[in-house]
Amino acid sequence: VTVETYFTVAKECSEALVKMLEACRADGFRPVVCSAYRSMGTQQMLYANKIATMIEEGHSKASAHANAGKYVAVPGTSEHQLGLALDIVDSSSNALDDSQANTPAQKWLMEHCYEYGFILRFPPDKMDITGIVWEPWHYRYVGVEVALEIRDLGITLEEYLGAVNE
C-alpha cells in the first residue's frame, strides 16, 4: 500500500501509519517517511555501500564486512524488506544520526508511536540485544497490543519474542 507519495508498506500497517502521521502533523509537527519497503536489490545496494564507505573510512575489508550489519541490515534480514519498518525523520532535519532524536517530530513519534502499533525498533543502549546501533528514526509495526506491552515493559522486540517463545 502506498502511503506517502511513493513509499510502500505492508497492508497490515498502512492505516495505522497514515493515522500516526496525520496525528503528528495535526499537533504541528512535520514527519517525513524517508524509507519504507525495500526490495532485495535495494537492500543489497545499501549494504554494499556501507561496506564501501567503511573501507574508505579506513576499516579493513574484513572489519567492514564484519561490522556493516550493525548499521545496515544484511540483505534478507531487513525489516524494511517485510514492509513493516519505516525510517521517519523530522522535515527540519533529514540527517540519519543521533541528532534526529532531538527534533520536534521525532520526540512526538517516540512518545506516541505505541498508540498506533509502532515501536522505536533500535533504542539507545540496546545494541547488545538488537545487534543494531541506536536509530531514533526507525519504527516497526507490531500492532497496538504488542507495542504497548513492549513500551510498558521497557524491552526490545527481541526480548519480547524471547519471552513469548519460552
Side-chain angles (χ1 to χ4, degrees):
V1 176
T2 301
V3 176
E4 292 194 332
T5 313
Y6 49 87
F7 291 104
T8 302
V9 297
K11 181 180 178 182
E12 298 89 337
C13 75
S14 62
E15 186 177 317
L17 176 61
V18 169
K19 287 179 180 178
M20 181 172 74
L21 294 175
E22 286 175 350
C24 186
R25 290 176 181 138
D27 281 352
F29 305 108
R30 297 178 15 201
V32 176
V33 175
C34 68
S35 181
Y37 169 77
R38 295 180 190 155
S39 68
M40 178 64 91
T42 298
Q43 193 65 31
Q44 289 170 330
M45 178 202 62
L46 292 170
Y47 186 70
N49 287 349
K50 185 60 179 177
I51 290 171
T53 299
M54 291 179 81
I55 292 170
E56 288 173 15
E57 292 172 346
H59 292 265
S60 69
K61 190 173 183 180
S63 173
H65 280 273
N67 292 297
K70 295 175 184 173
Y71 304 92
V72 176
V74 174
T77 68
S78 174
E79 295 174 338
H80 285 280
Q81 290 178 262
L82 298 173
L84 296 173
L86 302 127
D87 293 339
I88 307 172
V89 296
D90 188 304
S91 66
S92 68
S93 171
N94 60 4
L96 292 180
D97 60 28
D98 292 354
S99 69
Q100 190 60 225
N102 298 315
T103 63
Q106 208 59 260
K107 287 179 180 180
W108 188 98
L109 289 166
M110 285 190 259
E111 183 178 340
H112 296 280
C113 67
Y114 306 95
E115 299 166 22
Y116 301 90
F118 291 88
I119 59 170
L120 180 64
R121 183 64 179 91
F122 304 113
D125 305 322
K126 294 286 188 165
M127 183 184 164
D128 59 323
I129 297 168
T130 66
I132 303 288
V133 298
W134 181 35
E135 292 189 347
W137 56 84
H138 185 105
Y139 294 88
R140 161 73 189 264
Y141 183 76
V142 294
V144 174
E145 184 178 322
V146 172
L148 289 171
E149 192 169 351
I150 286 172
R151 184 208 56 193
D152 291 347
L153 293 171
I155 61 175
T156 64
L157 183 58
E158 286 80 5
E159 292 167 307
Y160 176 81
L161 293 174
V164 169
N165 292 320
E166 286 182 347

